[in-house]
Amino acid sequence: MKIKLTLIAILLLASCSTDNASTWNDMLPEYELKFSDLATTWDEGIPLGNATIGALIWQKDGDLRFSLDRADLWDLRPMANLDFENYDFKWVLEQWHNNTYEKVQQKYDAPYDNLPAPSKIPAAALEFNSKELGEIESVTLSLKDALCKIIWKNGTILTTFVHATEPIGWYRFENLKKDLSPILISPSYISNKKADKENPVTGQDLRRLEYPGGKITSTKNSHTYEQKGWNGFSYQVHTDWNKKGTTLEGNWSISSSKNDGKKTVTAKEIITNSSTINTEDELLESHKKWWASFWSKSSISIPDTILQNQWHMEMYKLGAAARRGAPPISLQSVWTADNGKLPPWKGDFHHDLNTQLSYWPTYSGNHLDAEEGFIDWLEKYKPTFKKYTSEYYNTTGLNVPGVSTLTGDPMGGWIQYAFGPTVSAWLGQHYYLHWRYSMDKDFLANKAYPWIKDVAIHLDELSVLDANGKRKLPLSSSPEIHNNARSAWFDKMSNFDLALVRWTFEKASELATELGKTEEAEQWKKIGSEWPEYAVNESGLMFTPDLSFNESHRHFSHLMAIHPLGLLDYSNGKEQQQIIDKTIANLDKTGSSQWVGYSFSWLGNLKARAFDGEGAAKALKDFATSFVLPNSFHVNGDQSGTGKSNFTYRPFTLEGNFAFAAGIQEMLIQSHTGTVKLFPAIPKDWNDVSFQQLRTEGAFLISARKEKGSTTLVKIVSEKGGILKLENPFTSKNLEINGSENYEWIGTVLVVETKPNTTITIQ
């Protein structure tokens, strides 16, 4: 299968006249993901979705196939052996000290690998006997409006989409020369197929769930599939269609129902109700309107077409995978494996990296509404997390299982990370960033500070004193160093845990001060000062004071203080600059043999924070050219055959994709220090670069363009007012500033006083 990502119209802000503000918002890039044929594997299918339902469009055994999915289809049976009443963190600590850690591995690690559930599960598939339609001329995904179009050489055209906001999929065949109708196919819960070797990475056989056979009921123009799962859970898939002349038009939906006595609207009812309210054209129009709004939030134009195209694919997937009112982004979101198996790593929520990276681009990318779905989920299951914290850690604060189900319950696994002591701290950064990028005082008071305060209480109560009188955690780890061996726990603080602890108390104090809670602010500041310094040697940041970074590893857990937490930063002087430079140099020196795709995306962000534009661009290009499939899915292993990594497998997960998008944005704009920097980390030969409406801390939307190597225009929209600090991106201070008369220069920083909902232009 050949791939071509075609640029139909590129955003060139350099062509915008400075006196026509509307041009900043009216120029939308139009991209197409275009193929000469359908993919022949599910993980290379055309992805469609709305964060609740999704589809992959591909061909299986020559027939057109829609792999259907819904985000809340989960087998939620409790993970066996999770007995915190008798086997809590204190028990784990005892086994570690007694050198009997194999008991912990058998109790908490093995069940995750050996048992099929809890797990995300697939829905069903629609197939069309398309062999009789002959050869395909083209397969296209229009990113602008999330429409997939397939054209056959005989003139038949299929247009299909998953509606942007409704749990409805739609398809229309035109110019049909042969009779055609969909076949509804259930997953292989019951199958004569020989089971493959069991592996949580490649996926366990669906039959191990031991579901009863589902029931498919058909009429002349419809199919309905009913499937029962564990403990009364069930779901329904429905499609119906009409044929008029040479046109076949249909819809599909998926509904789920728990055994909780609550009535749910079935998939069949969803389709019926929608048909009475909307015509197919009205559905299409509202779908296009949502996507037009999505793309209007922000855009970029960079001269590297590989990076430019990949950024648009990542933002498209973000729009298809993240919403308020839907579950957060899991490992595969609404694109569960359609291969008779459970998804890689059970499609769960990994909070030792995966969910965190997935939301990185929402902040500067001006898609806070997409990120709010994650916050809502964390808030909804906060009681579940507190129960886990109380039972396992015996603290009154807040922690989160590092590997969790749809409903926030722990799943076990390598417990250094699945039950890690600082998981809630990293998740707390999303609360903090949402506050800083939105400046929403209600959010600060009701959600951000309460979350971070509860994390601080947990860490305070859990901590003990070391031989030097400094605080430490009883056991510390650094994902995923030494995997799940006893040696993966450390008696001394890892830089990973230490950075998250330091960040928590620093931000707890900052937010308490913002809310006028002076005593609490002083309390958190004092506790924050009682922890040790980072472990540093001649090569930069270490894993722990006793363990240097001396091996290639996929997870850059030791350098959390640099990125994403920003505790060590170039803005803090030469000493920290040297630590950062040495750490990244050592990262480069040890090499990428044990890296996966997200490692390269993360490296791109790190290089950007160090103002290394060439290094950032190279890392991100390595990701885009070696660790993604033709449809842009990140599959962890090196697919290029160029030896960038010894990992060459292909389990699909999304975090590397979204971290890539964040890396591009980090090259174009940074605001984490309180001072906005424009084009801080772009390669020297990127002479013509522009972006519109990227968001900064302080709730400013900024558009800027660079022409022939020089910045020529900056536009600032202040949502909430306040002081904007802007590192001068121009070659002179002799500027024309419109929209504010209250500004001054402090060195090279332009300090502008802004009012809410005002626009400032600088040229």
Coordinates of all heavy atoms in Angstrom, one line a residue, residues 634-692:
H634 N 1.1 5.6 16.1 CA 2.4 5.3 16.8 C 2.4 3.8 17.2 O 1.4 3.4 17.9 CB 2.6 6.2 18.0 CG 3.6 5.7 19.0 ND1 3.2 5.5 20.3 CD2 4.9 5.5 18.9 CE1 4.3 5.1 21.0 NE2 5.3 5.1 20.1
V635 N 3.4 3.1 16.8 CA 3.4 1.6 17.1 C 4.6 1.2 17.9 O 5.1 0.1 17.9 CB 3.2 0.8 15.9 CG1 1.8 0.8 15.3 CG2 4.2 1.2 14.8
N636 N 5.2 2.2 18.6 CA 6.3 1.9 19.6 C 7.6 1.5 18.9 O 8.6 2.0 19.2 CB 5.8 0.9 20.6 CG 4.9 1.5 21.7 OD1 5.3 2.1 22.7 ND2 3.6 1.5 21.4
G637 N 7.6 0.4 18.1 CA 8.8 -0.1 17.5 C 9.2 0.6 16.3 O 8.4 1.2 15.6
D638 N 10.5 0.5 15.9 CA 11.1 1.1 14.7 C 10.6 0.3 13.5 O 10.9 -0.9 13.3 CB 12.6 1.0 14.8 CG 13.3 1.7 13.7 OD1 12.6 2.2 12.7 OD2 14.6 1.7 13.7
Q639 N 9.8 1.0 12.6 CA 9.3 0.3 11.4 C 10.1 0.7 10.2 O 9.8 0.2 9.1 CB 7.9 0.8 11.2 CG 6.9 0.6 12.4 CD 6.8 -0.8 12.8 OE1 6.4 -1.7 12.0 NE2 7.1 -1.1 14.1
S640 N 11.2 1.4 10.4 CA 12.0 1.9 9.2 C 13.1 1.0 8.7 O 13.6 1.1 7.6 CB 12.6 3.3 9.5 OG 13.6 3.2 10.5
G641 N 13.5 0.1 9.6 CA 14.6 -0.8 9.3 C 16.0 -0.1 9.3 O 17.0 -0.6 8.8
T642 N 16.0 1.1 9.9 CA 17.2 1.9 9.9 C 18.0 1.8 11.2 O 19.0 2.5 11.4 CB 16.9 3.4 9.7 OG1 16.0 3.9 10.7 CG2 16.3 3.6 8.3
G643 N 17.5 1.0 12.1 CA 18.3 0.7 13.4 C 18.2 1.8 14.4 O 19.0 1.8 15.3
K644 N 17.1 2.6 14.4 CA 17.0 3.6 15.4 C 16.7 3.0 16.8 O 16.9 3.6 17.8 CB 15.9 4.6 15.0 CG 16.3 5.5 13.8 CD 15.3 6.5 13.5 CE 15.7 7.5 12.4 NZ 15.9 6.8 11.1
S645 N 16.1 1.8 16.8 CA 15.8 1.1 18.0 C 15.9 -0.4 17.8 O 15.6 -0.8 16.7 CB 14.4 1.5 18.5 OG 14.1 0.8 19.7
N646 N 16.2 -1.1 18.9 CA 16.2 -2.5 18.8 C 14.8 -3.1 18.9 O 14.5 -4.2 18.6 CB 17.0 -3.2 19.9 CG 18.5 -2.9 19.7 OD1 18.9 -2.6 18.6 ND2 19.3 -3.1 20.7
F647 N 13.8 -2.2 19.4 CA 12.4 -2.6 19.4 C 11.9 -2.4 18.0 O 11.8 -1.3 17.4 CB 11.6 -1.7 20.4 CG 11.9 -2.0 21.8 CD1 12.7 -1.2 22.6 CD2 11.3 -3.1 22.4 CE1 12.9 -1.4 23.9 CE2 11.5 -3.4 23.8 CZ 12.3 -2.6 24.5
T648 N 11.4 -3.5 17.4 CA 10.8 -3.4 16.1 C 9.4 -4.0 16.0 O 8.8 -4.2 15.0 CB 11.7 -4.2 15.1 OG1 11.8 -5.6 15.5 CG2 13.1 -3.6 15.0
Y649 N 8.8 -4.2 17.2 CA 7.4 -4.7 17.3 C 6.5 -3.6 16.9 O 6.9 -2.4 16.7 CB 7.1 -5.4 18.6 CG 7.3 -4.5 19.8 CD1 6.9 -5.0 21.1 CD2 7.7 -3.2 19.8 CE1 7.0 -4.2 22.2 CE2 7.8 -2.4 20.9 CZ 7.4 -2.9 22.1 OH 7.5 -2.1 23.3
R650 N 5.1 -3.8 17.0 CA 4.2 -2.8 16.5 C 2.9 -2.7 17.4 O 1.8 -2.7 16.8 CB 3.9 -2.9 15.1 CG 3.4 -4.2 14.6 CD 3.2 -4.2 13.1 NE 2.1 -3.5 12.6 CZ 1.8 -3.3 11.3 NH1 2.7 -3.6 10.4 NH2 0.7 -2.6 11.0
P651 N 3.0 -2.7 18.7 CA 1.8 -2.5 19.5 C 1.4 -1.0 19.4 O 2.2 -0.1 19.7 CB 2.2 -2.9 20.9 CG 3.7 -2.7 21.0 CD 4.2 -3.0 19.6
F652 N 0.2 -0.7 19.0 CA -0.3 0.6 18.8 C -0.7 1.3 20.1 O -1.5 0.7 20.8 CB -1.4 0.6 17.8 CG -2.4 1.7 17.8 CD1 -2.0 3.0 17.8 CD2 -3.8 1.5 17.9 CE1 -2.9 4.1 17.9 CE2 -4.7 2.5 17.9 CZ -4.2 3.8 18.0
T653 N -0.1 2.5 20.4 CA -0.6 3.3 21.5 C -0.5 4.8 21.0 O 0.3 5.1 20.1 CB 0.2 3.1 22.8 OG1 1.6 3.4 22.5 CG2 0.1 1.7 23.3
L654 N -1.2 5.7 21.7 CA -1.4 7.0 21.1 C -0.4 8.1 21.7 O -0.3 9.2 21.2 CB -2.8 7.5 21.3 CG -3.8 6.9 20.3 CD1 -5.2 7.0 20.9 CD2 -3.7 7.6 19.0
E655 N 0.1 7.8 22.9 CA 0.8 8.9 23.6 C 2.0 9.5 22.8 O 2.3 10.7 22.9 CB 1.3 8.5 25.0 CG 2.5 7.5 25.0 CD 2.3 6.2 24.4 OE1 1.2 5.6 24.6 OE2 3.1 5.7 23.6
G656 N 2.7 8.7 22.0 CA 3.8 9.2 21.2 C 3.3 10.2 20.2 O 4.0 11.1 19.9
N657 N 2.1 9.9 19.6 CA 1.6 10.8 18.6 C 1.3 12.2 19.2 O 1.7 13.2 18.6 CB 0.2 10.3 18.1 CG 0.4 9.0 17.2 OD1 -0.1 8.0 17.6 ND2 1.1 9.1 16.1
F658 N 0.7 12.2 20.4 CA 0.3 13.5 20.9 C 1.5 14.3 21.5 O 1.6 15.5 21.5 CB -0.8 13.3 22.0 CG -2.1 12.8 21.4 CD1 -2.7 11.7 22.0 CD2 -2.6 13.3 20.2 CE1 -3.8 11.1 21.4 CE2 -3.7 12.7 19.6 CZ -4.4 11.6 20.2
A659 N 2.5 13.5 22.0 CA 3.7 14.2 22.5 C 4.5 14.8 21.3 O 5.1 15.8 21.5 CB 4.6 13.2 23.2
F660 N 4.4 14.2 20.2 CA 5.0 14.8 19.0 C 4.4 16.2 18.7 O 5.1 17.1 18.5 CB 4.7 13.9 17.8 CG 5.1 14.5 16.4 CD1 6.4 14.3 15.9 CD2 4.3 15.3 15.8 CE1 6.8 14.9 14.7 CE2 4.6 15.9 14.6 CZ 5.9 15.7 14.0
A661 N 3.1 16.3 18.7 CA 2.4 17.6 18.4 C 2.9 18.6 19.4 O 3.1 19.8 19.1 CB 0.9 17.4 18.5
A662 N 2.9 18.2 20.7 CA 3.4 19.1 21.8 C 4.8 19.6 21.5 O 5.2 20.8 21.7 CB 3.3 18.5 23.1
G663 N 5.7 18.7 21.0 CA 7.0 19.1 20.7 C 7.1 20.1 19.6 O 7.9 21.1 19.7
I664 N 6.3 20.0 18.6 CA 6.3 21.0 17.5 C 5.9 22.4 18.1 O 6.5 23.4 17.8 CB 5.3 20.6 16.4 CG1 5.8 19.4 15.7 CG2 5.1 21.8 15.4 CD1 7.1 19.6 14.9
Q665 N 4.9 22.4 19.0 CA 4.4 23.6 19.6 C 5.4 24.2 20.5 O 5.6 25.4 20.6 CB 3.1 23.3 20.3 CG 1.9 23.0 19.3 CD 0.8 22.3 20.0 OE1 0.0 21.6 19.3 NE2 0.6 22.4 21.3
E666 N 6.2 23.3 21.2 CA 7.2 23.8 22.1 C 8.3 24.5 21.3 O 9.0 25.4 21.8 CB 7.8 22.6 22.9 CG 8.5 22.9 24.1 CD 7.6 23.3 25.3 OE1 6.5 22.8 25.3 OE2 8.1 24.0 26.2
M667 N 8.6 24.1 20.1 CA 9.5 24.7 19.2 C 9.1 26.1 18.8 O 9.9 27.0 18.6 CB 9.8 23.9 18.0 CG 10.4 22.6 18.2 SD 10.4 21.5 16.7 CE 11.6 22.4 15.7
L668 N 7.8 26.3 18.8 CA 7.2 27.6 18.3 C 6.9 28.6 19.4 O 7.0 29.8 19.1 CB 5.9 27.3 17.5 CG 6.1 26.5 16.2 CD1 4.8 26.1 15.6 CD2 7.0 27.1 15.2
I669 N 6.6 28.1 20.5 CA 6.2 29.1 21.6 C 6.4 28.4 23.0 O 6.1 27.2 23.1 CB 4.7 29.5 21.4 CG1 4.4 30.7 22.4 CG2 3.8 28.3 21.7 CD1 3.0 31.3 22.0
Q670 N 6.9 29.1 23.9 CA 7.1 28.7 25.3 C 6.7 29.8 26.3 O 6.9 30.9 26.0 CB 8.5 28.3 25.6 CG 9.0 27.1 24.7 CD 10.4 26.7 25.0 OE1 11.0 27.0 26.1 NE2 11.1 26.0 24.1
S671 N 6.0 29.3 27.4 CA 5.6 30.3 28.4 C 5.7 29.8 29.8 O 5.2 30.5 30.7 CB 4.1 30.8 28.1 OG 3.2 29.7 28.2
H672 N 6.3 28.7 30.0 CA 6.4 28.0 31.3 C 7.1 28.8 32.3 O 7.0 28.6 33.5 CB 6.9 26.6 31.2 CG 8.3 26.6 30.7 ND1 8.7 26.7 29.3 CD2 9.5 26.4 31.3 CE1 10.0 26.6 29.2 NE2 10.5 26.5 30.4
T673 N 8.0 29.7 31.9 CA 8.8 30.5 32.9 C 8.1 31.8 33.3 O 8.6 32.5 34.2 CB 10.1 30.9 32.3 OG1 9.9 31.8 31.2 CG2 10.9 29.7 31.8
G674 N 6.9 32.1 32.7 CA 6.2 33.3 33.0 C 6.5 34.4 31.9 O 5.8 35.4 31.9
T675 N 7.5 34.1 31.1 CA 7.8 35.0 30.0 C 7.6 34.3 28.7 O 8.1 33.2 28.5 CB 9.3 35.5 30.1 OG1 9.5 36.3 31.3 CG2 9.6 36.4 28.9
V676 N 6.9 34.9 27.8 CA 6.5 34.2 26.5 C 7.7 34.4 25.6 O 8.3 35.5 25.4 CB 5.3 34.8 25.9 CG1 5.0 34.2 24.5 CG2 4.1 34.6 26.8
K677 N 8.1 33.2 25.0 CA 9.2 33.2 24.0 C 8.6 32.7 22.7 O 8.0 31.6 22.6 CB 10.3 32.3 24.4 CG 11.1 32.8 25.7 CD 12.2 31.9 26.0 CE 13.0 32.4 27.2 NZ 12.3 32.6 28.4
L678 N 8.8 33.5 21.6 CA 8.3 33.1 20.3 C 9.4 32.5 19.4 O 10.5 33.1 19.4 CB 7.7 34.3 19.6 CG 6.5 35.0 20.4 CD1 6.0 36.2 19.6 CD2 5.4 34.1 20.8
F679 N 9.1 31.5 18.7 CA 10.1 30.8 17.9 C 11.4 30.5 18.7 O 12.5 30.7 18.2 CB 10.4 31.6 16.6 CG 9.2 32.1 15.9 CD1 9.0 33.4 15.8 CD2 8.4 31.2 15.3 CE1 7.8 33.9 15.1 CE2 7.2 31.6 14.6 CZ 7.0 33.0 14.5
P680 N 11.3 29.9 19.9 CA 12.5 29.8 20.7 C 13.4 28.6 20.3 O 14.6 28.6 20.7 CB 11.9 29.5 22.1 CG 10.6 28.8 21.8 CD 10.1 29.4 20.6
A681 N 12.9 27.7 19.5 CA 13.7 26.5 19.2 C 13.4 26.0 17.8 O 13.0 24.8 17.6 CB 13.4 25.4 20.3
I682 N 13.6 26.8 16.9 CA 13.4 26.4 15.5 C 14.8 26.3 14.8 O 15.7 27.1 15.1 CB 12.5 27.4 14.7 CG1 13.0 28.8 14.6 CG2 11.1 27.4 15.3 CD1 12.2 29.7 13.8
P683 N 14.9 25.4 13.8 CA 16.2 25.3 13.1 C 16.6 26.7 12.5 O 15.7 27.4 12.1 CB 15.9 24.2 12.1 CG 14.9 23.4 12.7 CD 14.0 24.4 13.4
K684 N 17.8 26.9 12.3 CA 18.3 28.2 11.8 C 17.8 28.4 10.3 O 17.7 29.6 9.9 CB 19.8 28.2 11.8 CG 20.4 28.3 13.2 CD 21.9 28.3 13.2 CE 22.4 28.3 14.7 NZ 23.9 28.2 14.7
D685 N 17.6 27.4 9.6 CA 17.1 27.5 8.2 C 15.6 27.6 8.0 O 15.1 27.6 6.9 CB 17.7 26.4 7.3 CG 17.2 25.0 7.7 OD1 16.6 24.9 8.8 OD2 17.5 24.1 7.0
W686 N 14.9 27.7 9.2 CA 13.4 27.9 9.1 C 13.2 29.4 9.0 O 12.9 30.0 10.0 CB 12.7 27.3 10.3 CG 12.6 25.8 10.3 CD1 13.3 24.9 9.5 CD2 11.7 25.0 11.1 NE1 12.9 23.6 9.8 CE2 11.9 23.7 10.7 CE3 10.8 25.3 12.0 CZ2 11.2 22.6 11.3 CZ3 10.1 24.3 12.6 CH2 10.3 22.9 12.3
N687 N 13.3 29.9 7.8 CA 13.2 31.4 7.7 C 11.8 31.9 7.6 O 11.5 33.0 8.0 CB 13.9 31.8 6.4 CG 15.4 31.6 6.5 OD1 16.0 31.9 7.5 ND2 16.0 31.0 5.4
D688 N 10.9 31.1 7.1 CA 9.5 31.5 7.0 C 8.6 30.6 7.9 O 8.4 29.4 7.5 CB 9.0 31.5 5.6 CG 9.8 32.5 4.7 OD1 9.7 33.7 5.0 OD2 10.5 32.1 3.8
V689 N 8.2 31.0 9.0 CA 7.4 30.2 9.9 C 6.3 31.1 10.5 O 6.4 32.3 10.6 CB 8.3 29.8 11.1 CG1 7.6 28.8 12.0 CG2 9.6 29.2 10.6
S690 N 5.2 30.5 10.8 CA 4.1 31.2 11.4 C 3.1 30.3 12.1 O 3.1 29.1 11.9 CB 3.3 32.0 10.3 OG 2.7 31.1 9.3
F691 N 2.4 30.9 13.0 CA 1.3 30.2 13.7 C 0.2 31.1 14.1 O 0.5 32.3 14.2 CB 1.9 29.4 14.9 CG 2.5 30.3 16.0 CD1 1.7 31.0 16.9 CD2 3.9 30.5 16.0 CE1 2.3 31.8 17.9 CE2 4.5 31.3 17.0 CZ 3.7 31.9 17.9
Q692 N -0.9 30.6 14.3 CA -2.0 31.4 14.8 C -2.7 30.8 16.0 O -2.9 29.6 16.1 CB -3.0 31.7 13.7 CG -3.8 30.5 13.1 CD -4.9 31.0 12.2 OE1 -5.3 32.1 12.2 NE2 -5.4 30.1 11.4

